[in-house]
């Protein structure tokens, strides 16, 4: 990994972004470095978002992970403009030859043909329905979705097939699709978890610069609940020394808004996320950086991250146990349940298309 100074991004160029670095992909032979050629005294212009087409052949991704409650998911976008510095999906940009740093936030790939691919997969003979999870990697309601509408087209297909879907998002834009999610929710076909990491707007702007503000996410919980969608709150990630003091307040605010269940995950720092997060916290919270990283390592056996199944989501040790006890006590006091709300797969039907042969059964 390159020295943090070599690939650090000038403040003017990263205005409104999360990452403070743009390191080369771990698969690249060469490393990039920012340099001033001395020809101008003007600050670097803010980096703009670039959008590319991802011509996928299939849209449903399968997994067999023992510590996630789903076996299939859809990711309408690669990369995420929300810019959350802690995002565990950042390293996926390395497979594209791009940086998990600033590139992840500014070079976004969209699957414009996602809805048609999904319909083809659901119509495939022998397809067996199970809840499709969306938002488990990058956010389906990031800013680009407002104009692209890919997530809405996916929901239209799922609704037409009575196919269950589970969504996680930080984007208040999800309320745009309440007209689809409401009827699906009332039929037991949809549930939503709104990710709420802090009530501090300043911390939110620094940590998740282009995600919806905390009050907007709380309004989204209320709007979805009113529409008939089972909605919960994901207080993830919990970061020791940064937002862990807000656990009870986050759950209380979400409960007042209408959340029915709650879950949490502690900070995960796989691959390039570790140096990216360390540089970010040293830049924005220098007085707390050592304390934060010390507690993170305490929860992961002395390392920044332990990828072992069963440990990677919650950590281990005294501090991790304390977080779990506090969260459990607050959830019980507020009457929140776990996230294991079962959706109904029995309603799945492939809708007829013009010209289809009628069935005799």
């Amino acid at each position: 990994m390159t020295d943090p100074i070599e690939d650090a991004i000038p403040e003017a160029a990263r205005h409104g972004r999360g990452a403070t670095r743009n390191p080369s992909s771990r698969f690249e032979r060469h490393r990039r470095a920012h340099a001033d050629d001395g020809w101008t005294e003007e600050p670097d212009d803010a980096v703009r978002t670039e959008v590319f087409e991802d011509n996928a052949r299939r849209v449903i991704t399968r997994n067999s992970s023992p510590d996630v409650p789903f076996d299939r998911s859809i990711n309408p976008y690669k990369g995420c403009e929300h810019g959350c510095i802690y995002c565990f999906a950042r390293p996926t940009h390395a497979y594209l030859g791009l940086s998990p740093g600033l590139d992840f936030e500014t070079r976004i790939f969209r699957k414009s043909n996602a809805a048609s691919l999904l319909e083809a997969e659901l119509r495939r003979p022998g397809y067996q329905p199970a809840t499709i999870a969306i938002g488990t990697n990058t956010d389906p309601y990031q800013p680009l979705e407002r104009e692209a509408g890919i997530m809405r087209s996916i929901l239209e297909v799922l609704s037409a097939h009575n196919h269950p879907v589970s969504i996680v998002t930080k984007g208040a834009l999800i309320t745009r699709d309440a007209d689809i999610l409401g009827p699906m929710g009332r039929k037991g076909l949809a549930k939503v978890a709104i990710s709420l990491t802090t009530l501090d707007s300043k911390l939110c702007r620094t940590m998740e610069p282009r995600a919806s503000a905390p009050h907007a996410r709380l309004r989204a919980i209320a709007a979805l609940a009113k529409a008939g969608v089972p909605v919960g709150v994901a207080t993830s990630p919990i970061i020791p020394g940064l937002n862990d003091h807000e656990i009870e307040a986050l759950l209380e605010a979400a409960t007042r808004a209408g959340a029915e269940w709650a879950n949490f995950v502690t900070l995960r720092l796989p691959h390039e996320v570790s140096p990216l997060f360390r540089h970010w916290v040293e830049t924005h919270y220098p007085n707390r950086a050592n304390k934060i990283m010390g507690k993170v390592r305490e929860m992961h056996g002395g390392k920044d991250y332990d990828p072992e199944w069963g440990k990677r989501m919650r950590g281990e040790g005294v501090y991790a146990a304390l977080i779990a006890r506090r969260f459990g006590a607050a959830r019980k006091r507020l009457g929140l349940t776990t996230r294991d709300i079962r959706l109904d797969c029995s309603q799945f039907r492939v809708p007829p298309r013009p010209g289809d042969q009628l069935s005799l059964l």
Side-chain angles (χ1 to χ4, degrees), residues 164-165 182-191 228 230 342-345 347:
V165 61
M184 290 185 74
R186 291 192 292 273
K187 291 195 293 184
L189 295 173
K191 62 181 178 180
R342 301 285 182 179
L343 298 179
D344 184 7
C345 295
Q347 301 178 54

Side-chain angles (χ1 to χ4, degrees), residues 32-145:
R32 72 184 73 186
H34 180 84
D36 182 359
D37 60 13
W39 283 97
T40 177
E41 296 182 0
E42 294 298 320
D44 296 60
D45 292 333
V47 178
R48 296 180 180 274
T49 300
E50 297 179 81
V51 182
F52 307 90
E53 289 297 333
D54 180 4
N55 297 312
R57 296 181 179 179
R58 301 189 66 174
V59 72
I60 299 178
T61 301
R62 307 280 178 154
N63 83 85
S64 57
S65 172
D67 54 4
V68 295
F70 57 87
D71 70 352
R72 65 198 70 182
S73 60
I74 294 176
N75 294 302
Y77 302 97
K78 292 178 181 176
C80 186
E81 201 175 3
H82 280 165
C84 305
I85 187 57
Y86 52 74
C87 182
F88 65 85
R90 284 181 176 273
T92 60
H93 248 43
Y95 295 104
L96 303 174
L98 297 172
S99 173
L102 187 63
D103 284 352
F104 179 80
E105 308 171 37
T106 60
R107 307 186 76 177
I108 313 298
F109 294 77
R110 64 183 181 187
K111 300 177 182 177
S112 296
N113 62 342
S116 59
L117 290 174
L118 175 60
E119 183 167 13
E121 291 185 53
L122 297 185
R123 287 179 174 274
R124 189 167 291 134
Y127 176 80
Q128 295 296 316
T131 298
I132 290 178
I134 306 180
T136 58
N137 196 43
T138 58
D139 202 311
Y141 287 102
Q142 59 182 283
L144 178 58
E145 169 63 17

Side-chain angles (χ1 to χ4, degrees), residues 16-18 81-85 105 204-211:
R17 303 293 182 176
E81 201 175 3
H82 280 165
C84 305
I85 187 57
E105 308 171 37
C204 181
R205 285 194 303 272
T206 306
M207 185 168 63
E208 311 160 330
R210 300 200 176 195

Side-chain angles (χ1 to χ4, degrees), residues 42-318:
E42 294 298 320
D44 296 60
D45 292 333
V47 178
R48 296 180 180 274
T49 300
E50 297 179 81
V51 182
F52 307 90
E53 289 297 333
D54 180 4
N55 297 312
R57 296 181 179 179
R58 301 189 66 174
V59 72
I60 299 178
T61 301
R62 307 280 178 154
N63 83 85
S64 57
S65 172
D67 54 4
V68 295
F70 57 87
D71 70 352
R72 65 198 70 182
S73 60
I74 294 176
N75 294 302
Y77 302 97
K78 292 178 181 176
C80 186
E81 201 175 3
H82 280 165
C84 305
I85 187 57
Y86 52 74
C87 182
F88 65 85
R90 284 181 176 273
T92 60
H93 248 43
Y95 295 104
L96 303 174
L98 297 172
S99 173
L102 187 63
D103 284 352
F104 179 80
E105 308 171 37
T106 60
R107 307 186 76 177
I108 313 298
F109 294 77
R110 64 183 181 187
K111 300 177 182 177
S112 296
N113 62 342
S116 59
L117 290 174
L118 175 60
E119 183 167 13
E121 291 185 53
L122 297 185
R123 287 179 174 274
R124 189 167 291 134
Y127 176 80
Q128 295 296 316
T131 298
I132 290 178
I134 306 180
T136 58
N137 196 43
T138 58
D139 202 311
Y141 287 102
Q142 59 182 283
L144 178 58
E145 169 63 17
R146 189 175 299 278
E147 61 182 70
I150 298 172
M151 183 59 183
R152 184 171 178 87
S153 67
I154 288 172
L155 290 178
E156 288 170 345
V157 171
L158 293 173
S159 176
H161 288 73
N162 282 340
H163 195 293
V165 61
S166 174
I167 302 170
V168 180
T169 183
K170 292 182 177 71
L173 178 60
I174 191 174
T175 57
R176 176 201 65 187
D177 297 335
D179 60 320
I180 301 175
L181 290 169
M184 290 185 74
R186 291 192 292 273
K187 291 195 293 184
L189 295 173
K191 62 181 178 180
V192 173
I194 299 296
S195 177
L196 185 66
T197 52
T198 181
L199 299 176
D200 182 336
S201 58
K202 182 179 179 181
L203 174 59
C204 181
R205 285 194 303 272
T206 306
M207 185 168 63
E208 311 160 330
R210 300 200 176 195
S212 298
H215 67 271
R217 298 185 216 181
L218 291 169
R219 285 202 303 264
I221 292 175
L224 292 170
K226 183 178 180 180
V229 185
V231 59
V233 61
T235 56
S236 304
I238 292 177
I239 305 172
L242 194 59
N243 70 345
D244 56 339
H245 65 286
E246 295 189 72
I247 292 174
E248 291 80 5
L250 289 169
L251 293 181
E252 288 167 3
T255 302
R256 288 194 299 269
E260 299 177 32
W261 76 90
N263 63 74
F264 79 93
V265 174
T266 56
L267 180 66
R268 299 167 55 189
L269 299 175
H271 300 299
E272 292 93 341
V273 186
S274 175
L276 283 168
F277 181 82
R278 287 200 308 268
H279 191 262
W280 175 86
V281 79
E282 288 164 2
T283 300
H284 293 287
Y285 299 96
N287 295 332
R288 282 189 269 172
N290 288 337
K291 175 184 176 181
I292 291 170
M293 293 309 303
K295 290 296 184 182
V296 168
R297 296 186 186 106
E298 180 184 324
M299 294 194 297
H300 293 287
K303 300 177 290 185
D304 285 1
Y305 179 60
D306 183 354
E308 185 176 338
W309 303 126
K311 296 181 180 179
R312 61 180 187 150
M313 300 289 196
R314 299 293 176 86
E316 59 182 341
V318 174

Side-chain angles (χ1 to χ4, degrees), residues 331-347:
R331 184 169 63 187
K332 182 178 180 180
R333 173 172 57 84
L334 295 167
L336 296 167
T337 63
T338 67
R339 63 179 176 181
D340 190 20
I341 294 178
R342 301 285 182 179
L343 298 179
D344 184 7
C345 295
S346 68
Q347 301 178 54

